[in-house]
Amino acid sequence: MDPIERARRDVVIANRILAQQRVLDAYGHVSVRHPLDANKYLLARSCSPGIVGVEDIVEFRLDGTPARPEKRPLYLERFIHGAVYERRPDVKAVLHSHADDLLPFSISRTTRLRPVIHSCGDMGQDIPVWDIAHKFGDATSLLVLNMEHGRDLAEALAGNRIALMAAHGFVATGRSIYDLVRLSVYIPRNARVQLQAMQMGEHRVISPGETQARVALDPDSPALMRGWEFWAREAGCEALLEEAGAE
Amino acid sequence: MDPIERARRDVVIANRILAQQRVLDAYGHVSVRHPLDANKYLLARSCSPGIVGVEDIVEFRLDGTPARPEKRPLYLERFIHGAVYERRPDVKAVLHSHADDLLPFSISRTTRLRPVIHSCGDMGQDIPVWDIAHKFGDATSLLVLNMEHGRDLAEALAGNRIALMAAHGFVATGRSIYDLVRLSVYIPRNARVQLQAMQMGEHRVISPGETQARVALDPDSPALMRGWEFWAREAGCEALLEEAGAE
Amino acid sequence: MDPIERARRDVVIANRILAQQRVLDAYGHVSVRHPLDANKYLLARSCSPGIVGVEDIVEFRLDGTPARPEKRPLYLERFIHGAVYERRPDVKAVLHSHADDLLPFSISRTTRLRPVIHSCGDMGQDIPVWDIAHKFGDATSLLVLNMEHGRDLAEALAGNRIALMAAHGFVATGRSIYDLVRLSVYIPRNARVQLQAMQMGEHRVISPGETQARVALDPDSPALMRGWEFWAREAGCEALLEEAGAE
Amino acid sequence: MDPIERARRDVVIANRILAQQRVLDAYGHVSVRHPLDANKYLLARSCSPGIVGVEDIVEFRLDGTPARPEKRPLYLERFIHGAVYERRPDVKAVLHSHADDLLPFSISRTTRLRPVIHSCGDMGQDIPVWDIAHKFGDATSLLVLNMEHGRDLAEALAGNRIALMAAHGFVATGRSIYDLVRLSVYIPRNARVQLQAMQMGEHRVISPGETQARVALDPDSPALMRGWEFWAREAGCEALLEEAGAE
């Protein structure tokens, strides 16, 4: 299959999986870097992730302008994606989510989100919290509405895999869209487990060596693709999956 | 479409969305102010929100009497709606819900519900708790059974967007029914996030400036209508949505 | 409809509602006193509540023996029902459930379950905890396997509406099966709300006068039947509902 | 039915039940010891439990090699199963799960999982926590990738019914696959109940005598098979259930 067509189908599958797994709801979005042009990315028009289709996928330049004329409304916060792709050439896929389980950690003054379960070992040891108010003041809508906002977020993300957005959600990145989706399904669970373990007292965290070992796992292995394939079926994307392949 | 017919269909969609999103269960109700006569409102007959249809919508005067003869049983607590519309000309839609996540805050002697997530930034900074026992004593059924009860609740609500009802639930208001539904879907999540953040210690709250910026967002923008449209589809109201339009 | 046939259909609907609302799972059971013979009750054969049908309903004497020869396996804990009906002539329906949310209160050494939400106002002010170990020692299977066990539980229940069973679940009673089902759907929610409110500090409880006012509500009113009718539809029992009537 | 064919169908049903009950998700696996050859076990190829079919079941030797040539990818962690069967001749079925509710207990430095609800009375009094880091250092992927890892886990399990795996999940065992599935459905609930009870203070635990009495219950009784049969239907396995029988 044509790599662009495949990327479009994969970003549709990612939308549907993340909606079905409740990482996204009516809001939030997921993109993939253009497979042939690193200065573009593929992201849906303004559309809830659970109903995104191939025809909804739009090609954007890194500055958030559509590559071709586009009359349909666009996500106001698409600048998150371009700013991360701009700063991080290694990143091939980006998610912005409001998943409830992360939000307490995004507003806590006392506690940092830490990797505590093996499936989030590759989330990284350091998970920064970006607060739009630090640079843009405490009278914003909290939305990432332009490249200046996006670049400030990308600067806070720095070389890490995910960053929390205070009172808003999080941004996560992947070396591929499969890698991103697999991790993202488990991030909310990691947050729940950490909160519950804290309620009982001191707890184990994933060590730096364990993080390295998890990152070193082959993201294209059958084991890591098992989730993508299963969740795609659960989300009703079996046909798209077969067409797009995931080999 | 005729504005009354459209309002009737919109209140049906609102019922179905709020049931499907678990903001309402077998009980609770949502109304819209009559689009042509500010002294009336549209609310279902006594019927669980998940099965309300267009034929179940009844026109009420603000005092809770049906505008036309009506033999079907009516919600005992419909006075909540009329009393709020009476006191608050700016309010175009009213919800009464028993959503579990709000109830701990409605009975807490120590903690106030605060806006902590961006999607509830427009919930307001001050969220009063109304206790029927304050004025009517501690031997009531806790139900709002007449205009006197309703007006006492509306007085406690004052100029705010929502008010908790002790040991009972909450009332929420909207500048439109779309505005009300969008906020209402997120109110329970805000409560969960606040409770969890408190379990970890001190936390960030939405600032007054952020509240102002959120209120200033255009409630008819594609971004804010995205939830209504998606949730309506999830709730099986696609046909009603197309007929009613939501432009 | 013949009152016995109606009672059989109602106990089927109750099983299906309570399974669909997750008050019962593969285990637990609900019965109704025989409408014409106060010394008998109607309860399913050993069958998971979610799949109970009219043909599964068996007539039992209060001592737990089937009124007619019965070869199918029976619930081991059916003695709960007979013992409660024997001691409490006012009780017309009995539920035994293992709902998770009640279990922490059934084992807590520090905290009593209290009515905190209006829908459980009629649960009563005093909710005893029965521990089989008190009379029968700490080497039982915790199951209520005979009338001696059942009568000890009924003695602990005394004149109350519900009793917790330590490390096991709870028993609830109703003046009718509709009354029982409505309350039972909300008991787990009351437990969740109380636990969450306690995590924030002191909280309001339903007052004795409020309990009296809630008990005084007409259990056959449209308002209280609204839940039964809605939940029956949700549980796929629309046909049974129409046949059985619920007027 | 041929005992091998029956075992294959039962392991499929177990996969489907545990997926539907959310004890397993896209990951985790369940096996049964070969009914005729104690040195083999039946486990799916690398496949998400919710979609395992009879054709996916592979026969393995205890060292994790397939008994017949097999080209399809295999679970990386299948060594868990063989190592437990090797050390524990009494064990006829093994589950490896990542269920969220157990994970806080697997990383807690302060709190041990205890049996607190009657349905987990037979979980045992002592629930060890195995941390791969103790023997293999803190730079592993946390996965059980060979027999050396598996044997270390089996040694920690010792004569117990279940063992937690730090930051990873748990392993559970059964005297039969029905016995394993019934217990496994309740293990996450026991964890939730214990955590909530702890939040209120001191709580009752299942006594050693109660554990003995629960273990002594006949695992083939209609009462204990009721769950298997109901959950199999819920999981869409009615046809397989009838073919495989469960008498």
Side-chain angles (χ1 to χ4, degrees), chain A residues 25-27 46-48 73 75 98 100 103-105 107-111 131 133 138-141 143 166-168 195 198-199, chain B residues 116-118 182 186 189 192-193 196-197 199-204 206-207 209-210 213-214 217 222-224 226-227 230-231 233:
Chain A
D25 67 344
Y27 296 93
S46 174
C47 184
S48 291
Y75 291 132
H98 306 143
D100 294 356
L103 289 167
F105 289 93
I107 62 174
S108 179
R109 300 282 189 218
T110 60
T111 306
D131 191 331
D138 72 348
T140 73
S141 66
L143 299 173
H168 183 160
L195 178 60
M198 286 172 55
Q199 290 172 341
Chain B
V116 295
I117 61 176
H118 83 310
R182 195 205 55 77
Y186 289 103
R189 301 187 195 180
R192 275 202 299 280
V193 170
Q196 291 181 5
Q199 291 173 339
M200 299 192 287
E202 295 295 311
H203 61 83
R204 183 193 198 284
I206 298 294
S207 75
E210 288 166 346
R214 296 293 305 184
L217 292 175
L224 293 189
R226 195 156 82 226
F230 175 64
W231 295 319
R233 290 177 62 151

Side-chain angles (χ1 to χ4, degrees), chain C residues 25 109-110 131 138 167 199, chain D residues 118 189 199-200 204 207:
Chain C
D25 67 345
R109 301 281 189 216
T110 60
D131 192 329
D138 73 347
Q199 291 172 340
Chain D
H118 83 311
R189 300 189 195 179
Q199 291 172 340
M200 299 192 287
R204 182 193 199 284
S207 74

Side-chain angles (χ1 to χ4, degrees), chain A residues 178-190:
Chain A
Y178 317 125
D179 179 46
L180 173 65
V181 166
R182 196 204 56 76
L183 178 65
S184 300
V185 166
Y186 288 102
I187 291 173
R189 300 188 195 180
N190 187 96

Side-chain angles (χ1 to χ4, degrees), chain A residues 163-179:
Chain A
L164 301 184
M165 301 164 71
H168 183 160
F170 69 97
V171 59
T173 64
R175 293 163 289 175
S176 72
I177 197 160
Y178 317 125
D179 179 46

Side-chain angles (χ1 to χ4, degrees), chain B residues 169-244:
Chain B
F170 69 97
V171 59
T173 65
R175 292 164 289 175
S176 72
I177 197 160
Y178 317 125
D179 179 45
L180 173 63
V181 166
R182 195 205 55 77
L183 179 64
S184 300
V185 166
Y186 289 103
I187 291 174
R189 301 187 195 180
N190 187 97
R192 275 202 299 280
V193 170
Q194 182 181 347
L195 177 60
Q196 291 181 5
M198 286 171 56
Q199 291 173 339
M200 299 192 287
E202 295 295 311
H203 61 83
R204 183 193 198 284
V205 296
I206 298 294
S207 75
E210 288 166 346
T211 287
Q212 284 189 342
R214 296 293 305 184
V215 170
L217 292 175
D218 174 10
D220 295 331
S221 68
L224 293 189
M225 289 305 294
R226 195 156 82 226
W228 172 268
E229 286 160 19
F230 175 64
W231 295 319
R233 290 177 62 151
E234 294 284 292
C237 293
E238 199 161 3
L240 270 181
L241 192 67
E242 282 163 14
E243 290 164 8

